[in-house]
Amino acid sequence: METETTDEIKILMVEDEKYVVDQYRSLTETQSRMNIVYDTGSERNALRYLSRHKIDVMILDLELQEGDGVSLLSEIEEQKLDKPFTVVVTNTVSNVTLSYLRIHGADYVYQKMNAAYSPMRVISVIQKIYPYKHFAKPCKEHPIVMEFNRQQAEIVMRSNLIRELEMIGIKRKLVGFDFLVEAVMIYVNSSEEDVHITNDIYPEVAKIKQTTTMSVERSIRCAIESAFTRADIMRLHRYYPFPYDDERGRPTNTQFIANMADRIRIRK
């Protein structure tokens, strides 16, 4: 293990989205004491790097393409590696997961579903809190964790859904955009495992928007078609990573609503 000391804050980024890493690099390049010395989207590579190098701060995305952040925290603990000051970023609002993070060494948790989330905010948190890490109590029960109750979480979940639909390529000016938002939110909050889009979701959206179920179905279909016929295919697949019928050229309304609900759902 390296033992050299320096005033520089060495940062390990465990993040599999390159554009996100680039955002953080751009921000840290303006900070004289911050340096992202290594980035990876792999749990295994991160663990290997931590076993060989002294790191001050780790920015850890829980959702990775290779491995996951929860397992990485556990492995750091099991292998008795030096744990850096750890800022977790995640899509989850699960109380079970957040509790697990407390126990296993997260110093700060920033939920992406928080409307205020941004790489700049994360960097700001590190700047403000990292200098005081040496004064922290040697107890795993007191990390600084941002949490939201269910009502707050649903507010930011709706905001996150709107952003996701826009990233997929669905224009907000379309009538079907608002209908989709309502349909997905109703689906997310449904307690019925066999909820039916046509018989349950469309009538509820129609009631909210004071229109007909036929109009709801048609407008949602047109909104989905607009994205899958005009959007950049690479961008589309990044933000809608679900299979669909190639011959149809788009998912059905039911598939799209169910998949978007799974993508943003509050996991209890």
Side-chain angles (χ1 to χ4, degrees), residues 133-145:
K133 71 181 184 69
H134 299 295
F135 299 99
K137 295 179 180 180
C139 175
K140 296 177 182 177
E141 297 178 358
H142 300 287
I144 303 169
V145 180

Side-chain angles (χ1 to χ4, degrees), residues 12-71:
L12 165 64
M13 276 213 67
V14 187
E15 165 64 61
D16 57 14
E17 293 281 5
K18 185 180 183 302
Y19 78 96
V20 175
V21 175
D22 290 342
Q23 287 179 321
Y24 277 99
R25 285 197 180 277
S26 296
L27 290 168
T28 56
E29 284 172 1
T30 65
Q31 308 296 325
S32 59
R33 294 184 61 244
M34 285 188 165
N35 182 23
I36 297 177
V37 294
Y38 185 66
D39 70 84
T40 179
S42 163
E43 172 193 336
R44 180 174 54 190
N45 290 346
L47 195 63
R48 182 185 300 117
Y49 193 88
L50 285 167
S51 69
R52 300 175 180 176
H53 302 272
K54 175 67 176 177
I55 294 297
D56 301 305
V57 173
M58 177 168 63
I59 301 175
L60 174 62
D61 190 342
L62 286 194
E63 296 82 22
L64 301 171
Q65 290 184 356
E66 193 279 291
D68 64 85
V70 171
S71 297

